[in-house]
Amino acid sequence: MVGHSFMGAAHSQAWRVAPRFFDLPLRPVMAVVCGRDRARTEAAAVRLGWAHAETDWKALLDRDDVQVVDICTPGDTHAEIAVAALEAGKHVLCEKPLANSVLEAQVMADAAERAAEQGVRAMVGFTYRRVPAISLARDLVAQGRLGRIHHVRAQYLQDWIVDPAAPLSWRLQKEKAGSGALGDIGAHIVDAAQFILGDTIHEVSGTLQTFVTERPLAAEHAGLSGTASSAGTGPVTVDDAALFLARFTGGALGTFEATRFANGRKNAIRIEINGSAGSLAFDFEDMNVLHFFDGTEDAGVAGFRRIVVTEPQHPYVDAWWPAGHGLGYEHAFTHQAVDLVRAIAADTDPTPTFADGLQVQRVLAAVEDSSASRTWHAV
Amino acid sequence: MVGHSFMGAAHSQAWRVAPRFFDLPLRPVMAVVCGRDRARTEAAAVRLGWAHAETDWKALLDRDDVQVVDICTPGDTHAEIAVAALEAGKHVLCEKPLANSVLEAQVMADAAERAAEQGVRAMVGFTYRRVPAISLARDLVAQGRLGRIHHVRAQYLQDWIVDPAAPLSWRLQKEKAGSGALGDIGAHIVDAAQFILGDTIHEVSGTLQTFVTERPLAAEHAGLSGTASSAGTGPVTVDDAALFLARFTGGALGTFEATRFANGRKNAIRIEINGSAGSLAFDFEDMNVLHFFDGTEDAGVAGFRRIVVTEPQHPYVDAWWPAGHGLGYEHAFTHQAVDLVRAIAADTDPTPTFADGLQVQRVLAAVEDSSASRTWHAV
Amino acid sequence: MVGHSFMGAAHSQAWRVAPRFFDLPLRPVMAVVCGRDRARTEAAAVRLGWAHAETDWKALLDRDDVQVVDICTPGDTHAEIAVAALEAGKHVLCEKPLANSVLEAQVMADAAERAAEQGVRAMVGFTYRRVPAISLARDLVAQGRLGRIHHVRAQYLQDWIVDPAAPLSWRLQKEKAGSGALGDIGAHIVDAAQFILGDTIHEVSGTLQTFVTERPLAAEHAGLSGTASSAGTGPVTVDDAALFLARFTGGALGTFEATRFANGRKNAIRIEINGSAGSLAFDFEDMNVLHFFDGTEDAGVAGFRRIVVTEPQHPYVDAWWPAGHGLGYEHAFTHQAVDLVRAIAADTDPTPTFADGLQVQRVLAAVEDSSASRTWHAV
Amino acid sequence: MVGHSFMGAAHSQAWRVAPRFFDLPLRPVMAVVCGRDRARTEAAAVRLGWAHAETDWKALLDRDDVQVVDICTPGDTHAEIAVAALEAGKHVLCEKPLANSVLEAQVMADAAERAAEQGVRAMVGFTYRRVPAISLARDLVAQGRLGRIHHVRAQYLQDWIVDPAAPLSWRLQKEKAGSGALGDIGAHIVDAAQFILGDTIHEVSGTLQTFVTERPLAAEHAGLSGTASSAGTGPVTVDDAALFLARFTGGALGTFEATRFANGRKNAIRIEINGSAGSLAFDFEDMNVLHFFDGTEDAGVAGFRRIVVTEPQHPYVDAWWPAGHGLGYEHAFTHQAVDLVRAIAADTDPTPTFADGLQVQRVLAAVEDSSASRTWHAV
């Protein structure tokens, strides 16, 4: 695993827990964690439970005890690591967004396609697909329970930088993060919406906004929690918020909004879908619940059903607890690890593929282009 | 109409509005309002739209322009007025609780039975029955959608006297009000639960509590809004809260709680019912909604449905607005007036009858007895 | 009053009820209702409680017993009636949208300005402003409780024509209705958002969509409830859904969505506002509630507060019931009537003015232009 | 660890995960799992990650690699194992209810008291105390934010045996389980309510009910998931539902309801508390949320706050994810393990102690006595 910050902790928990609840055809071993700083990486290895620590990711490619490279670093490093790992015959799990540009993402998708011919697998970490309620949403759409889809409204609302005194972390710097809310959280709702619909966005009209353009420099840039130094301020070079209208290939209209300035909303991922036969609504603040309106029912008793997605029938749930005992944020990472291991064992491509990640990247790029040109833009 | 305070205003609105939205077989005319104080009653007549004012309720019985006597006074006056009105051949609508004692209620029910033989009708004002969501709840139970009922949990939560400085209004004095939370609001949930189930409570185990036993005397005692005088304090002689367990004739178990000390709950009437085939949940804070769980559905998509009870199919709704345009508190009074007028025109007994009111009174009395004896008590 | 369908019934209820709960400086008398068909108009007069019936709106202008003309007809007739009434010295209350075009709206606003110089008043019926929770929202923003506003997301979701068999009512014909979801319901959320913020939209990027382009002809076109005839089908000439991004003069970003295809949402008006100091959220499905996040509170106890907007302190509420006894859809019409009467008596201009209505019309026109040109458009 | 079924899996996850997220003064090692059947226990050791397997719990007491005995077996075995373990100098974590009778619980509490003198610690597994929202609730009460407590209403609602065809598992047999809903889930809400209030119940009036008295015999009795055999039926010897009223030492009134017949409620633990200064409400179906009403606020903006309990300030949360990334059911077990390890290292008694468990047992016994005698019963 490369990177041991927020995502590194989540992925470690996934590898640790997956074999304890799921029957896996292969047994994951947590071999090596890799970071830039030796002392911190070694401490992370102990804390997170990795057998070895490395400070150069290239070392992983030569190790026989590494079959999967799990990339949890900022987006600017994804392409180089992923392509090299695939070429070295290592399966790759790469955090989202796939890359910081369409060009890089294209290179990665090409590498993944070549690797697949050799049985080497690549997967991009759109983890929210594996929240049981979102998987169930996709299933209901695929079963036709919603009919023809008319509307998608998707929001990813956070508020962690609404305070202008919040420091300039790497996530606010374009050269590291590629973009701001758009790539960090907008990417998730683009993927989730396309995943649930089984459809793709083909054109967008969007706008990006940076509300606070100058922020205190952080003493260090390693995470969300850096504190302001006395070193002055620096420019925010990414968007604080990204809004766009979208048209899907199948005819649905979408509104998308990703922001870090929704005061009071910590991690609200909301997806609402209206079709000719029914509707769905999801909010990650209540992540074990999916609301479903069945429009074919008698109007006298019709209503949005609050499905508590903790039944054995529901995706992934059977491995966990009895009905009504909800899951948390990191369980989706466990499901991701499970699906990757199963795909590797079955010699099939796991989803979302790098091609899926590339498609999301194209949507994000079209939003940026649209914001610049102030017109609709094709994906 | 006798009385022109809170309930008088609500009943006036009902008589005013009912013929404007509903097709009625008879046309209500707002003839006479009656109060103790001439000036205030005449002002009320103008404000509320009554043609005449009287200060002695007995005068109503002699007037030819009065066919219905609508009793909106405190409970200690109900029996005398209602019995006299029925004997004078006037139809009677009487606010709840029917009376302050079982004995009085029994006298009233007997009078109503005699009057019915003469085609004179009597109805007690358990208005919440006519909230569309509660009517719908009864319909679903009657249709068997819940199966055998196992559980009822009913709460009526208010907080208007949680402040010990709230004055000693007539509602806190036993000789006027009969009881406190028990009769004022507990009566409503007893009636609503029995109404929805189509069943009666046959034994109870309860407890009454007065948290604040001494309060400032109000300058006047005419309503909820009296302000504290400098005249000192007086004893609270009714319960602040009433809690009881109940067994229904049909086998259901109930928990009931009525309190004026639920800080932050202004008028939360909650009724939840669990049956072998499904469940219902209602909260008056969201009065246009009924939650319904259909336990016969596939567990993968089952969930409490949030039925917005504003469809033309729903009870009373067709007369009002398009779907999604909710009703308010006083609409139930309009529905009550409509049903009374229709029963009179059809020469049938309206419900809830005085006998129904008597049965509720017996439940309340059993709760008081149980509280005193600290044992279960039959109704 | 001109028109006696859905809006006519709502306005009649307002005039009937307003003086019964509010102290008004003038006493409204329901003098004349006007419709095209004599028999139906006379029936409406009886049912709704108007003293007289006319079939030509021009007759109202000559009547001495008419001081206010209340226009409840389709949008294509507003300009002619309103201008004539104002010129005849009658105060005017005109349903929204003010007109079917900016040009007409401009003529009306000019007429209102001239009339105001003579003490003749004009008001446009953006009724939702007078839902207490929305009035409270404006007050909180005006008090600075939200700080600088970053985001507005507003949705008006209905589903009454999601069925392709729903007939071609006048609301689906451009020559009568001007536009579809955009003008009918989009206008409401534009006004509500601008009202709450105390700010105006200055540019938009939008798209309009008609999902069902051909519908059965209705036997008659007088309302929502027409049934399909055997006369074949006709083209839908208005939008089923309107989506747009918006920028406010003060720097806020907005997403707006108005649709008649949100299956299961009957009349969901949702407005969410995020500012630097706090946030608000409202949904008309729970119309007596406003959610407020105070971002200045300690994070350990901060959270969206569910304010039940039924306290005496809340706008308009004091005239009605005790705390916790909610209001319904039509109460906002009563508040509108109250405010109009008070403005007339005080010899001041009521709000929203025709100029406000014109500004909303300009936003709607900009959305249409933007949809056609596929670019951002200034208002 | 003794037992490897539902609770065994939850406890294993706790021991596995605790040291990965929390800084612990001692490092837990998962040494030995113990079960009755060798093959199944060995399989559990592999699956759950225990180094060794034993089939006799007494063997644990002699092993030097066992410092803590974690008891996850049915209640009838708790006393013997716990007392022996404590006497052998092993710290003990014992699942709730502490025992199947007050007598056994008393013996255990005495043993714990003696052991504590030797520095040997005992803790009972009322895990829900360690759900962050419930810990926060206690903190708010302890800080006086609720003032004097008037009301507690607590419900634990499940529905897993509402179907009469559900088999007769060990949980439905008195000799194994001690009681039904009362001890299994009622115990949790008794503990949680007492914990939050920092007060104890001193008298109760309750009733127990078995709705389905005969059920199909399960093929095996090892868990919730046994399937019906053709071996006929057997009697249900425990309660399906337990309801009781309670009085707390400090003057609060409580209503408690534990049932396995609340159709549609899978694991709804609801606790609502009303005090003179404020109120709290919690529902485990939305376990990362606590609702708090601050009655000292201006009524114009007061309302129940939906606190999303995922802030770094909140109990236990700092070790996990950024704000808004919710926890799941099993996280409370991890918190329990953390607190036990820290208490052992600090040489202090962890809570809840066996004495706390005994007190809960006394409440449960009083409910049973009250149900039998149909009167109030002291604890």
Side-chain angles (χ1 to χ4, degrees), chain A residues 178-245:
Chain A
S179 70
L182 179 65
D184 181 23
I185 55 179
H188 275 304
I189 49 175
V190 168
D191 181 70
Q194 296 190 141
F195 170 69
I196 295 172
L197 262 64
D199 194 3
T200 52
I201 293 169
H202 81 91
E203 61 171 356
V204 296
S205 171
T207 192
L208 304 179
Q209 176 89 11
T210 307
F211 293 110
V212 173
T213 54
E214 195 82 16
R215 288 185 179 272
L217 294 174
E220 50 183 355
H221 300 270
L224 300 180
S225 57
T227 54
S229 74
S230 56
T233 64
V236 175
T237 48
V238 300
D239 55 288
D240 289 334
L243 289 71
F244 61 97
L245 307 179

Side-chain angles (χ1 to χ4, degrees), chain D:
Chain D
M1 187 176 76
V2 193
H4 50 71
S5 185
F6 174 19
M7 278 303 108
H11 284 237
S12 297
Q13 172 77 342
W15 294 117
R16 181 187 305 127
V17 170
R20 301 305 176 190
F21 287 85
F22 291 82
D23 286 325
L24 296 183
L26 297 170
R27 182 160 164 268
V29 176
M30 294 169 70
V32 196
V33 63
C34 179
R36 285 169 302 178
D37 180 88
R38 171 154 304 277
R40 286 170 53 201
T41 306
E42 287 180 349
V46 171
R47 191 180 73 252
L48 299 176
W50 295 86
H52 306 282
E54 296 274 9
T55 55
D56 182 355
W57 61 263
K58 296 195 181 82
L60 300 181
L61 308 191
D62 298 328
R63 293 186 68 129
D64 289 342
D65 59 350
V66 172
Q67 274 93 48
V68 176
V69 175
D70 183 352
I71 305 173
C72 298
T73 52
D76 60 329
T77 64
H78 288 183
E80 186 185 7
I81 302 174
V83 172
L86 289 169
E87 291 181 348
K90 309 298 189 191
H91 308 294
V92 170
L93 171 59
C94 181
E95 256 308 312
K96 45 56 57 186
L98 189 57
N100 281 359
S101 71
V102 169
L103 186 63
E104 285 177 328
Q106 181 71 61
V107 169
M108 294 170 77
D110 291 346
E113 198 175 338
R114 287 193 307 273
E117 292 165 12
Q118 312 301 321
V120 177
R121 307 297 164 188
M123 184 188 197
V124 59
F126 287 116
T127 326
Y128 290 107
R129 286 187 175 206
R130 291 173 163 92
V131 170
I134 291 183
S135 289
L136 177 61
R138 178 188 172 90
D139 292 346
L140 291 173
V141 171
Q143 290 162 17
R145 301 289 299 255
L146 267 68
R148 176 187 167 194
I149 306 301
H150 295 121
H151 288 293
V152 176
R153 59 195 71 84
Q155 299 151 15
Y156 199 141
L157 308 179
Q158 297 185 333
D159 74 353
W160 57 279
I161 51 170
V162 71
D163 181 355
L168 191 69
S169 79
W170 70 263
R171 289 179 185 272
L172 305 186
Q173 301 174 40
K174 192 173 181 62
E175 65 278 14
K176 291 275 185 190
S179 70
L182 179 65
D184 181 22
I185 56 179
H188 274 303
I189 49 175
V190 168
D191 181 71
Q194 295 189 143
F195 169 70
I196 295 172
L197 262 64
D199 194 4
T200 52
I201 293 170
H202 81 92
E203 61 171 355
V204 298
S205 171
T207 191
L208 305 179
Q209 175 89 12
T210 306
F211 293 110
V212 173
T213 53
E214 196 82 16
R215 288 184 179 274
L217 294 174
E220 49 183 356
H221 300 271
L224 301 179
S225 56
T227 54
S229 74
S230 56
T233 64
V236 175
T237 48
V238 299
D239 55 288
D240 289 334
L243 289 71
F244 60 99
L245 308 179
R247 289 184 175 275
F248 286 76
T249 308
L253 283 176
T255 59
F256 289 78
E257 182 170 3
T259 179
R260 295 161 168 175
F261 272 68
N263 212 331
R265 304 299 183 191
K266 302 305 170 181
N267 204 51
I269 304 169
R270 302 175 186 168
I271 301 178
E272 191 166 351
I273 300 171
N274 306 126
S276 59
S279 290
L280 290 173
F282 172 81
D283 188 336
F284 191 73
E285 284 198 357
D286 200 4
M287 67 171 278
N288 292 292
V289 167
L290 182 68
H291 300 272
F292 169 48
F293 180 80
D294 183 345
T296 66
E297 287 180 321
D298 176 70
V301 292
F304 275 82
R305 301 172 189 193
R306 186 175 177 276
I307 304 175
V308 182
V309 190
T310 57
E311 297 291 319
Q313 292 92 325
H314 291 142
Y316 304 107
V317 173
D318 196 25
W320 298 100
W321 312 112
H325 296 73
L327 304 185
Y329 166 67
E330 77 262 30
H331 290 75
F333 289 89
T334 298
H335 304 160
Q336 177 173 272
V338 166
D339 288 343
L340 176 57
V341 169
R342 287 179 173 165
I344 290 171
D347 209 20
T348 59
D349 274 331
T351 57
T353 64
F354 276 18
D356 294 329
L358 168 62
Q359 199 276 338
V360 171
Q361 206 66 37
R362 284 186 172 135
V363 173
L364 303 183
V367 172
E368 290 187 311
D369 291 344
S370 169
S371 179
S373 69
R374 295 170 53 88
T375 62
W376 282 80
H377 232 271
V379 171

Side-chain angles (χ1 to χ4, degrees), chain B residues 83 98 104-114 354-356 358:
Chain B
V83 172
L98 188 57
E104 285 177 328
Q106 181 70 61
V107 169
M108 294 170 77
D110 292 347
E113 198 175 340
R114 288 193 306 274
F354 277 17
D356 295 328
L358 168 61

Side-chain angles (χ1 to χ4, degrees), chain A residues 203 207 247 263 279 374, chain C residues 203 207 247 259 263 279 374:
Chain A
E203 61 171 356
T207 192
R247 289 185 174 275
N263 213 332
S279 290
R374 295 171 53 87
Chain C
E203 61 171 357
T207 191
R247 289 183 174 275
T259 179
N263 213 332
S279 290
R374 295 170 53 88

